[in-house]
Amino acid sequence: MKSVRVVCAHDCPDMCSLIAHVEDGKVVRVQGDPDHPYTAGFACGKVNRDADLVNSPERIRTPLRRVGAKGSGQFEAIGWDEALDEIATKWKAIIAESGPLALLGYAYSAHQGLMNRGLVNGLFHALGSSRLQAGTVCDTCCEASWDVTVGPVGGADPESVVHSDLVIAWGADLAATNVHFWALAEEQRKKRGVPVVVIDPRRTRSARAADLYLPIRIGTDAALALGIMHILVRDKLADRAYIASKTLGFDKVECDILPKFPPARVAEITGLAVQDIEKLAGLYGRAKAALIRLGEGMTRLAQGGQALRAVTLLPGVSGHYAVKGGGALLLTAASCDLNYAAVRKPSGPAATRLVNHLRLGEALLTMNDPPLRALYISANNPAVTCPEVHKVQKGLAREDLFTVVHDPFLTDTARWADIVLPATSYLETDDLYRAYGAYWMQWGQQAAKPYGEARSNFDVAQALAERMGLTDKIFTLAPQQAAEEMFKGATGPAAAADRGKLFAGDPIHIAHDWDGQPFATPSGKLEFYSEQLASQGVSPVPDWEPDPIEVADAARWPMRLLTAPGYFQAHTAFSGVGFLRNREGKPFCVLHPDDAKKRGLADGAAVRLFNDRGEIGLLLRVSDEIQPGVILVPGQRPTSEAVSGTINMLCSDRYTDMGEGATYQSTWLDVGPWTGPGTGAQQAAE
Ligand SMILES: Nc1nc2c(c(=O)[nH]1)N[C@H]1C(S)=C(S)[C@@H](COP(=O)(O)OP(=O)(O)OC[C@H]3O[C@@H](n4cnc5c(=O)[nH]c(N)nc54)[C@H](O)[C@@H]3O)O[C@H]1N2
Ligand SMILES: Nc1nc2c(c(=O)[nH]1)N[C@H]1C(S)=C(S)[C@@H](COP(=O)(O)OP(=O)(O)OC[C@H]3O[C@@H](n4cnc5c(=O)[nH]c(N)nc54)[C@H](O)[C@@H]3O)O[C@H]1N2
Ligand code: SF4
Ligand SMILES: [Mo]
């Protein structure tokens, strides 16, 4: 048995260094690297099972060609050359007739490696095809909000929490999505008595462990943040020197906005107790180095940008942005200045037609001049994870659409494909990684032989580039040589990395030696007033107002959707592991006991969730971890696992106020007994 140091490629801020134990070219166990300071010797509950993921008997072994009707899931095995030739022939014919805009490459984040993620995009960039405006299903709202406020620059180093005297998890279930930061925060709490506050509509695992938990009403975070500012000003806890030297426009907020948010009104809006709001403001105002971990949870709704922006401004009022261990952390990646374009944009037009990631269905159904005729999906499962899934399915069902899916598994999306290609996982390919929630960079080498005939994203992008006649050098380089290209023109700590050590597998710390949080806004300051927002027609100062469409929906439907990460499933990426599927349980929703009682719904029964967009069937869990009026649906699960359907069938593809992101939680619905095939008792017994 040998041990290979690898890097976790799953979509997660921690980017763990891992040790893969390998026997006869097969990974038999994966564990956290004890010699990586942030990973600290442990992986999460999901990745501890990654040996089961890479060796899953559910993986695809060979390329497949559709033989049945679209979506029937009937395929025949074919060879790689046959598959790649067929793809290239089709693409060339489509380009000849309709131009390259008729092609769409759709690849996002399930492989965090910069090569395996980047080169697929590089292929479509060089082909001049329509391009994916990627990430709108995920982080573009929070990123746009952070960028107009702080600028495109990383936030606090999570490891600086050793200097913090207060930690606030705001819209982030750290015990699920950021376990290494959570472990560090817990350690500070135990060792130094640093209080941990959780602000979340769900009493999550993190919330249950917190010193103070605020069960905030969904979509009201801006009001709470402004209420805290109101109290800080009232109690003379605002850092006036910091505000004067490092921020822009606070006077306007103080005059026009804060008077609207006294504690009593904030309590009314947020559903929180006045005492809790006062307690939080007192804790925050008196702390010397409070660290806010900003989660994306608060941004997954119509006014999500305003929510995150208001919270991001808080350390500007307290002055904690100046202090080690204080400030805010959303993402860190913007401060890793590698030359990404070397891989992602080798050649091709600078601008092209864009397809918003969350409106794939709409694009497939309505785009014209030219219509989308070929779709290549790599490392995504939009038939489950995109809102308005019905539209996505209708688009994928088009007979005149040539769809290729590259994935280790025959996903819901792959079932619609004309050609399916088997993909390797991170354990079967080389790549360069940099974390998006910590300041680390690392090379991960291939640990195992590919499963069956699986090939990596990088490899397939090169093979297709060759067949399409692309001559950019990047399509001929080995992964390490391609990674070297990213250092040309790079700046900052990443550029200064010792590449000998890097490519030998050593983790490289790439934290900047900042004296306080830098601001990369047009003014160079933390912007309480944003001219950029004003020019987009968005309130340039933070504010909270009810969203008119949400108000109208709330008048028609009794319940609001709360979406949260799964503990043992992350989207559908681990659905090939039976153990984890069972740990997570069959796809379920959670109702407060009052709501369940009102409808005569019992714990364990199959229930019907419905709105104007359709209906789905899930199993019911009754729990007071959420407030009445809310239906929690954790994760997005494949349709085959559920009583019926998947949650995104009920979610609209409306955009957020900033960054054109997804608004899953601006979804209203109702719930009742399941009346379709399969009864609650049968489902629960399965
Ligand atoms: N209702 C609702 N919907 C949501 C969210 C929500 O909160 N609520 N969250 C959204 C968010 S944040 C995100 S990021 C998206 C995620 O959306 P997706 O990216 O579509 O998520 P996954 O289900 O993880 O799909 C990833 C696919 O990549 C495959 N894969 C893994 N590794 C590789 C590889 O190396 N190569 C290739 N080719 N394939 C690979 C996996 O098998 C899996 O099928 O979902 C969004 N959807
Ligand atoms: N185990 C696990 N880990 C994951 C993932 C996963 O699915 N499972 N997904 C990965 C991906 S792709 C991403 S983008 C990250 C996302 O990770 P996070 O940034 O943590 O974001 P979310 O998972 O969307 O939601 C986090 C929390 O926000 C809460 N929330 C929802 N609405 C509101 C609100 O209006 N206000 C407040 N204050 N809180 C709210 C939810 O209840 C949830 O507990 O996690 C990554 N890590
Ligand atoms: S915590 Fe995140 S980075 Fe670490 S092993 Fe789990 S998924 Fe991978
Ligand atoms: Mo995400």
Side-chain angles (χ1 to χ4, degrees), residues 11 108-111 116 137-139 296 300 357 377-382 384-386 406-409 411 423-426 457 561 563-564 570-573 635-636 647-648 651 664:
D11 188 347
Y108 182 52
S109 68
H111 194 302
N116 280 290
V137 291
C138 173
D139 61 5
E296 299 183 26
R300 306 203 185 287
H357 196 158
I377 299 178
S378 173
N380 276 108
N381 192 5
V384 178
T385 55
C386 275
H406 187 208
D407 201 288
F409 293 92
T411 60
T424 53
S425 69
Y426 68 100
N457 299 4
L561 178 69
T563 194
H571 317 288
T572 66
Q636 306 89 50
I647 185 60
N648 276 320
C651 297
Y664 312 105

Side-chain angles (χ1 to χ4, degrees), residues 194-206:
V194 175
V196 175
V197 177
V198 170
I199 303 169
D200 198 305
R202 177 190 191 187
R203 199 169 69 245
T204 57
R205 289 184 180 195
S206 319

Side-chain angles (χ1 to χ4, degrees), residues 1-8 17-23 25-34 47 50-51 54 426-428 445-448:
M1 181 139 68
K2 65 173 182 172
S3 305
V4 186
R5 200 177 211 183
V6 296
V7 184
C8 177
S17 181
L18 303 170
I19 308 295
H21 301 279
V22 184
E23 227 169 60
K26 241 175 115 167
V27 172
V28 292
R29 193 160 70 90
V30 170
Q31 65 169 109
D33 181 350
V47 168
D50 265 6
V54 288
Y426 68 100
L427 292 161
E428 303 155 291
Q445 64 164 298
Q446 179 179 346

